[in-house]
Amino acid sequence: VQLQACGGGSVQAGDSLRLSCTASGRTFSTYDMGWFRQTPGKEREFVATINWNGRNTDHTDSVKGRFTISRENAKNTVLRLQMNNLKPEDTAVYYCAAGPRRSARVADYVYWGQGTLVTVSS
């Protein structure tokens, strides 16, 4: 059972990045999934969530209009986060997660990826 996140990097403010998270080892197509982020010394915070079939999404206010969560449920489920117009305050380690319900709460997710670092410079 594994969630593998990738796509992070160092960019300038205003640039775009697309994060991906590949789920393998079990059937994740029936799980709701989400993206969270964390900076040193702070709690992990909600970014976006999507239900199992991709029809329902939520994004935290600070990323609405800039970030878009999506997913593909093929042989392996792939979760994505398209991040446009990045800002220095978006700098964080981004984590993908899967759980039984679409939620903004860390505690509602069972499976977590290893994290991918996004650094945005001004």
Side-chain angles (χ1 to χ4, degrees):
V1 177
Q2 186 175 13
L3 296 178
Q4 185 72 34
C6 65
S10 296
V11 297
Q12 298 286 322
D15 286 350
S16 298
L17 278 176
R18 187 173 74 165
L19 305 184
S20 296
C21 175
T22 301
S24 61
R26 68 175 297 135
T27 302
F28 280 92
S29 60
T30 59
Y31 280 77
D32 294 345
M33 300 187 76
W35 287 101
F36 289 75
R37 64 187 180 186
Q38 190 170 22
T39 55
K42 294 188 177 181
E43 294 186 353
R44 195 164 296 187
E45 67 171 8
F46 167 72
V47 176
T49 185
I50 189 167
N51 77 322
W52 67 274
N53 63 10
R55 293 178 182 173
N56 294 292
T57 63
D58 285 314
H59 298 76
T60 193
D61 286 345
S62 63
V63 308
K64 283 181 180 177
R66 300 188 298 120
F67 292 11
T68 303
I69 189 172
S70 63
R71 68 186 292 165
E72 301 166 12
N73 289 330
K75 180 179 180 181
N76 290 320
T77 295
V78 179
L79 179 71
R80 302 194 193 281
L81 185 68
Q82 178 65 43
M83 305 187 295
N84 299 328
N85 190 22
L86 282 159
K87 302 177 179 181
E89 53 263 42
D90 295 320
T91 295
V93 176
Y94 284 72
Y95 297 89
C96 57
R101 65 181 63 85
R102 189 164 59 96
S103 171
R105 296 176 61 232
V106 170
D108 286 334
Y109 291 86
V110 177
Y111 301 102
W112 290 87
Q114 84 288 0
T116 184
L117 176 63
V118 173
T119 303
V120 185
S121 56
S122 58

